[in-house]
Amino acid sequence: MTTEPALAGRKEWLALAVLALPLLLVSMDISILFFAVPAISADLSPSGTQLLWVFDIYAFVLAGLLITMGSVGDRMGRRKLLMAGTVFFGGASLIAAYASSAGMLIGARALLGVGGACLLPSTLSLIRSIFTDATQRAKALGVWSAVLISGVSLGPVLSGVMLEFFWWGSVFLINAPVMVLLLILAPRLLPEFKDPHPGPFDALSCLLSLGAILPVIYGIKELGTDGFEVVPVVAIVVGLVVAFLFVLRQRTAAAPLLDLSLLRTRAFRGGVLFAMVASWVMIGFAIFTTQYLQSVQGMSALEASLWSLTPSVGIFIATGLSTGLAQRVDHAFIVGGAFVLTAGGLLFLTQVRADSPLWMVLVGAGGLSAGVAATMPLLTGMVVGSAPPEKAGLASATLQTGQELGGAVGLATLGTLGSAVYRTNLDGSAPDGLPEAALDAARETLAAAVLVAGELPGDVGGALLTAARESFTDGLNAAALAGAGVLLLASVLVVLLMRGAAGPAVAEAPEVADEPDGPSAAPGVANPVGTKS
């Protein structure tokens, strides 16, 4: 005999608001330095390699530690880990704000990644534990997804506004008061949950997970930035070999870091896979819209950051609609439809030209953002709902690691495609009489072409700027077309592979591993197990 899950009340919804605070800041820090490069370069004089590490080290450390910290949270308590991450994140923010050298800033960004890895799995796993009713949990996950995506969108906006009035370090100082507020509210509003029988901590598996994830993400990012080179290829191969060793370790360890039995459920493995696809297109294409606003439309950093916020309006609408439909429609059909909407936005962007009105790119980007936003609460619900409550932290970390990997692959694949089209078309359309050195510099990026054009005589500079903008837009169109093709394929696969794995008709009970000749039950847990204080 099962008991009905308890409905969340005022305190639980206030707890969700508290959890939104660290989630917003961690996601904002992914993109908060997008418009701060000139100021950082002028103040700290970093080398090109150091500047890349300022951006990349945060995501690298975050992705590499998510699985480890998810397991730590299940053992020590998710609220305790959240508060420890809060202290770490707040302190690292202060160090970053007042960094006096490029190396110090890189180190501070690495510490921010450690703090973020503590916070992200804790926010999602606590939601899984607090909201035991499936309908309420779906709404809570919709809010979680909207805040996560909006944070990435708000990062550049906040950066542009702060840089208009303050020095570049101010973009980090906003974290500190929010972290203090979180330390005050968390003990009062957040319950404690942990695995009552976690088993011994497997330090070797933690090292293997780092050794698998970090080289792969590094290699993918380097291939996307510099094209084919030996070092990043070797890094990917090494990471895959270590990943194989990690899997072997999980099969034999007494208390594995990653419970491989979770992968035998359709909802879990499908949720992770298709969340990677959504992250692939969302993060992989973001660089195109940002550059289009600045270098094609000619906007300032502040103006571009504010306009880039407009497509995010559809995020909250889309998440609300998807969670509402989820009460009546199989989740696979909703995710499939959302992928079609995302593909529609990308197909609209294939019609954007260098001289197109601004509204065209905003509408296309809005469709893309809304489609991805509609998928995230449902895919997240599939993953965390199919895991036992005591493994919610690990399930959350696995999902977020997959999203980080999907975003890295998106930047590499779509970015490489767009760059290849840009360089090829620019070679064929560059004006006659353009110095070879100027063409070589302009071929690197559109931003470099804008700078080169400004240093050339009027007619030649204007012709180069026009050619570069048109070539970049051709690359944007090609990346949008490729993304739309992948999303349309994904919309078919998600229905074929995930139909019946999650939806209103499925009993609210833990999903069991798939049987060889039968569908799995749907995710969801009526009676979470864990300690609560």
Side-chain angles (χ1 to χ4, degrees), residues 286-422:
I287 191 172
F288 289 97
T289 52
T290 301
Q291 290 187 76
Y292 185 89
L293 293 176
Q294 280 193 282
S295 299
V296 177
Q297 291 283 339
M299 295 181 181
S300 66
L302 178 60
E303 187 180 6
S305 67
L306 292 175
W307 277 113
S308 69
L309 187 61
T310 55
S312 65
V313 173
I315 291 175
F316 286 94
I317 298 175
T319 53
L321 288 175
S322 68
T323 52
L325 286 173
Q327 310 309 314
R328 300 184 296 275
V329 182
D330 189 303
H331 295 181
F333 291 108
I334 303 174
V335 174
F339 279 158
V340 171
L341 173 61
T342 307
L346 289 168
L347 288 173
F348 191 85
L349 287 168
T350 64
Q351 305 305 305
V352 170
R353 300 291 179 261
D355 58 352
S356 294
L358 176 61
W359 67 264
M360 287 189 66
V361 72
L362 295 180
V363 168
L368 188 161
S369 299
V372 171
T375 68
M376 295 312 295
L378 303 185
L379 295 172
T380 302
M382 289 181 187
V383 173
V384 300
S386 62
E390 65 273 12
K391 298 293 183 183
L394 178 58
S396 305
T398 305
L399 170 67
Q400 290 153 356
T401 300
Q403 290 173 324
E404 290 289 332
L405 184 59
V409 174
L411 285 172
T413 53
L414 295 179
T416 299
L417 174 60
S419 296
V421 172
Y422 168 74

Side-chain angles (χ1 to χ4, degrees), residues 137-159:
R137 185 167 65 238
K139 293 178 181 179
L141 290 174
V143 173
W144 185 91
S145 300
V147 171
L148 181 66
I149 298 174
S150 297
V152 178
S153 302
L154 283 171
V157 178
L158 177 64
S159 176

Side-chain angles (χ1 to χ4, degrees), residues 186-230:
R188 291 168 171 79
L189 293 174
L190 299 181
E192 180 65 286
F193 288 89
K194 63 181 178 180
D195 186 348
H197 307 291
F201 186 70
D202 190 354
L204 177 58
S205 290
C206 294
L207 294 175
L208 289 174
S209 70
L210 281 171
I213 295 169
L214 293 182
V216 170
I217 293 182
Y218 167 79
I220 291 172
K221 281 181 172 287
E222 289 299 301
L223 288 176
T225 302
D226 301 324
F228 181 86
E229 290 186 357
V230 174

Side-chain angles (χ1 to χ4, degrees), residues 266 274 330-340 382 488-501:
R266 278 194 301 153
F274 290 109
D330 189 303
H331 295 181
F333 291 108
I334 303 174
V335 174
F339 279 158
V340 171
M382 289 181 187
L488 289 174
L489 176 61
S491 69
V492 175
L493 290 177
V494 73
V495 173
L496 293 177
L497 299 178
M498 300 296 294
R499 184 172 54 185

Side-chain angles (χ1 to χ4, degrees), residues 16-44:
L16 177 62
V18 172
L19 291 174
L21 296 175
L23 177 63
L24 185 64
L25 293 183
V26 171
S27 58
M28 278 173 30
D29 265 47
I30 295 173
S31 57
I32 203 164
L33 293 181
F34 279 5
F35 295 125
V37 174
I40 293 175
S41 298
D43 191 21
L44 302 182

